[in-house]
Amino acid sequence: MPRPCHWQQLLAEESCRQAENGGRRCEGRWAAISMSDSGEAAASRDVAAQGGVVASMTALSRISGLLRDIVLSHVLGATGAADTFFLAFRIPNFFRRLFAEGAFAQAFVPVLAEYRQRDNRAALKAFLAAIGGNLGVVLLAVTVAGVVGAWALVAVFMFGFFDDPPKFALAVDLTRIMFPYLALISLTAFAGAVLNASHRYAVPAFTPVLLNASLIAAALWAADAAAAGDFASVAYALAWGVFAAGVAQFLFQLPSLARVGLLTVPKPDWRHAGARKVGRLVVPAAFAASAGQVNALIGSQLASLLEEGSVSWLYYADRLMELPIGIVAIALGTVLLPTLSRLHSAGKATEFNDTLDWGLRIGLLLGVPAAAALALLAHPLLATLFQHGEMQPRDVDRTAAALRIFAIGLVPLVLVKIAAPGYFSRQDTTTPLKFAVASVATNIALGLATFWWLGHVGLALATSMAAIVNAGLLIRGLIVGGDYRPGRPLARAMAVAATGTAIMVAALWLLVPGPDYWLAAGLGERIGTLALAVLGGLAVYTAAVYAAGVRPRDLRHRA
């Protein structure tokens, strides 16, 4: 929040003195003016700057995640143990998206915005205590059920392993170790949502770095086992690394919550009005916000029926695509949800429309060139990053084929992350649920129709087509419902992004050597050539966009 001017500071201090004289605790120097966003000085926030904070922290997280995947590919490659670990890790991750990021945060933040508008700290803290208590009870029950019923979970999520008893047994063990991560990371996401709603974005965005660091440490610790060919021991070490990361990520949030005065003792209260409202919203949001994860999970399940390595090829391709999605889409979605929720609660329809339009424009300007670059540089990127250790040239070729197809869905996935808050901020979780059902149905139909003859590439194609369906329905729904009115700025952004990307692709086509070069060149030479291509492509696109008249001020937005 911007620093109050002098008269606001005096008013805040006087309010604190009066509260203390009345026997009430004043929580912080700016408590009298920090509860709501009333007043233009407080309400007008630089959304672009907030997005920049999230993007920079998310970039650090994604880079550390890329380093993590480089280490994992070196130690595990695309072995059967790698397939098993990646699938077992998807189980708590899938439920995490449902209970935390995918559903809970989307239902929780808009209601939290209402409580912040009331300027009643006691009511706000009672709401947070009830939500924390209720969430904790649910997570405890789900975690116990998941650990006890790990066999059933593996049977449902990894039915392709039925014919391989040792792999199935390993998957059950890994699931039991990692499933408590669901509770820990869901509580972490709850704390992060509270911090985001308080416009404290850095700590939640940095938190995933702790998971990456923990997995890197676990992989290095188990490197001797990998060298001896004992990949199952490596998978066990990684599973315990996931558990340890969950503990570290949760504890990392608590000091920041204390600093904003919102660290409360959980107190289950199923009758609390705000908690009941969140409960009504969370069920449809569970699926609506997690369509992408459901589609990825379905792809992994079908991939377990294909040749060994298919799950890993999809995993590595997906992880590389997550780099631009994380930096662009997640950063935008993170700041848009609390901002749009605040604007909707304040009845500012024009500012709501302008903020959503700004998000879509930024998403296109950054997402379109990223998708094209990933498709064109798929093999060079994967050969440079992953072709060593247990990762063989054949694995790189198969992963690159999946990445090129995944790139088709990159821009739609970015737009989904931006458009969905337009619904959730208005506490509409039913409409995006319907669109998510259509997206998943598309994914299942295309996946079943193509994976037998196109293999893992058919599954990647189904995922991309499902993302296109979801994005198209979400944006169309906002327009038809009158909540968003696209205008000339969006059309101009689309034209600039397309033109700049075409020029960049032509330059990369000249700069990038063919596949044979990447197989024969040494690692140092590959790194140098790839760096030249990436920086050159970035410079060309930036110059083209600048020549089209886009300036840094055009990327800023206050709401």
Side-chain angles (χ1 to χ4, degrees):
M1 186 176 73
R3 182 177 178 85
C5 61
H6 181 65
W7 68 267
Q8 289 176 308
Q9 176 180 340
L10 294 177
L11 177 60
E13 292 172 344
E14 177 61 25
S15 299
C16 284
R17 283 194 293 271
Q18 292 176 2
E20 289 165 352
N21 291 336
R24 300 188 305 274
R25 181 170 175 256
C26 179
E27 301 200 27
R29 189 176 183 182
W30 316 114
I33 57 173
S34 64
M35 281 297 299
S36 77
D37 290 311
S38 59
E40 287 303 313
S44 180
R45 300 183 183 278
D46 191 339
V47 184
Q50 294 171 346
V53 171
V54 179
S56 60
M57 292 295 101
T58 304
L60 181 60
S61 168
R62 296 300 177 177
I63 292 171
S64 67
L66 186 60
L67 179 60
R68 175 194 84 185
D69 292 329
I70 291 172
V71 173
L72 293 185
S73 68
H74 183 86
V75 174
L76 278 179
T79 60
D83 285 356
T84 306
F85 170 75
F86 294 141
L87 277 175
F89 190 32
R90 272 200 182 277
I91 294 177
N93 260 336
F94 173 74
F95 285 103
R96 170 189 60 130
R97 299 281 180 156
L98 294 184
F99 279 94
E101 299 168 6
F104 179 78
Q106 308 292 354
F108 165 68
V109 170
V111 180
L112 176 61
E114 289 184 357
Y115 276 86
R116 292 182 63 86
Q117 285 290 119
R118 297 179 186 177
D119 281 349
N120 187 330
R121 179 168 288 271
L124 173 62
K125 297 190 76 170
F127 168 66
L128 293 177
I131 290 292
N134 294 352
L135 179 64
V137 170
V138 172
L139 290 173
L140 178 61
V142 171
T143 299
V144 171
V147 172
V148 173
W151 186 92
L153 286 173
V154 173
V156 171
F157 285 87
M158 290 175 262
F159 49 77
F161 288 177
F162 267 127
D163 295 334
D164 192 336
K167 188 180 290 187
F168 190 89
L170 175 61
V172 171
D173 289 344
L174 296 179
T175 300
R176 286 202 171 106
I177 295 170
M178 290 189 287
F179 202 81
Y181 179 75
L182 159 66
L184 294 165
I185 199 60
S186 295
L187 292 173
T188 299
F190 166 51
V194 175
L195 290 172
N196 287 339
S198 303
H199 304 284
R200 304 293 190 271
Y201 296 102
V203 168
F206 176 81
T207 298
V209 173
L210 301 178
L211 171 64
N212 298 328
S214 181
L215 285 175
I216 290 172
L220 295 177
W221 182 79
D224 290 341
D230 184 6
F231 297 114
S233 294
V234 179
Y236 279 113
L238 292 173
W240 284 112
V242 170
F243 179 84
V247 175
Q249 288 175 303
F250 174 60
L251 295 178
F252 186 64
Q253 310 296 307
L254 302 185
S256 295
L257 279 178
R259 280 194 290 272
V260 297
L262 295 177
L263 181 60
T264 59
V265 177
K267 184 180 179 181
D269 185 354
W270 304 102
R271 297 183 178 182
H272 189 282
R276 293 176 66 180
K277 190 171 189 178
V278 171
R280 289 194 299 270
L281 295 171
V282 78
V283 175
F287 193 81
S290 304
Q293 288 300 307
V294 173
N295 288 332
L297 179 64
I298 292 170
S300 296
Q301 286 179 300
L302 294 177
S304 70
L305 298 172
L306 299 173
E307 62 178 309
E308 183 173 282
S310 296
V311 173
S312 298
W313 300 331
L314 288 174
Y315 170 82
Y316 291 124
D318 179 69
R319 289 297 301 167
L320 203 54
M321 189 180 70
E322 284 290 329
L323 183 62
I325 288 178
I327 295 174
V328 178
I330 293 180
L332 287 170
T334 298
V335 300
L336 282 175
L337 180 59
T339 301
L340 293 175
S341 298
R342 172 171 55 81
L343 294 173
H344 176 70
S345 296
K348 298 181 177 180
T350 301
E351 290 86 345
F352 184 99
N353 180 86
D354 293 345
T355 299
L356 192 55
D357 187 75
W358 168 82
L360 291 171
R361 284 185 279 118
I362 296 299
L364 289 170
L365 286 171
L366 299 180
V368 172
L374 271 185
L376 194 60
L377 299 177
H379 194 278
L381 282 166
L382 290 162
T384 302
L385 297 173
F386 297 139
Q387 190 176 303
H388 47 74
E390 296 298 324
M391 196 77 164
Q392 303 302 315
R394 175 177 176 271
D395 297 322
V396 170
D397 289 338
R398 299 295 192 275
T399 306
L403 180 57
R404 293 187 190 99
I405 303 301
F406 272 144
I408 296 173
L410 192 152
V411 173
L413 285 172
V414 169
L415 297 180
V416 166
K417 293 290 187 182
I418 297 168
Y423 294 88
F424 295 128
S425 61
R426 296 182 288 109
Q427 300 180 22
D428 177 8
T429 57
T430 303
T431 303
L433 169 62
K434 296 176 183 177
F435 299 156
V437 170
S439 170
V440 172
T442 301
N443 183 53
I444 293 174
L446 287 178
L448 290 174
T450 61
F451 88 111
W452 286 117
W453 57 287
L454 290 178
H456 70 293
V457 174
L459 298 175
L461 178 62
T463 300
S464 292
M465 293 300 103
I468 292 174
V469 169
N470 199 12
L473 290 174
L474 284 169
I475 295 174
R476 179 181 178 276
L478 289 170
I479 296 172
V480 171
D483 299 296
Y484 172 58
R485 300 177 303 280
R488 293 180 62 184
L490 182 67
R492 179 169 177 263
M494 293 174 64
V496 169
T499 303
T501 299
I503 297 172
M504 179 196 71
V505 167
L508 288 176
W509 191 266
L510 297 175
L511 284 172
V512 180
D516 292 341
Y517 167 86
W518 301 98
L519 291 175
L523 180 59
E525 189 177 355
R526 275 181 272 162
I527 292 174
T529 306
L530 179 63
L532 176 64
V534 171
L535 294 176
L538 178 61
V540 169
Y541 179 76
T542 302
V545 168
Y546 192 87
V550 177
R551 299 293 182 266
R553 64 176 177 273
D554 299 323
L555 306 181
R556 293 194 291 267
H557 180 70
R558 299 190 69 86

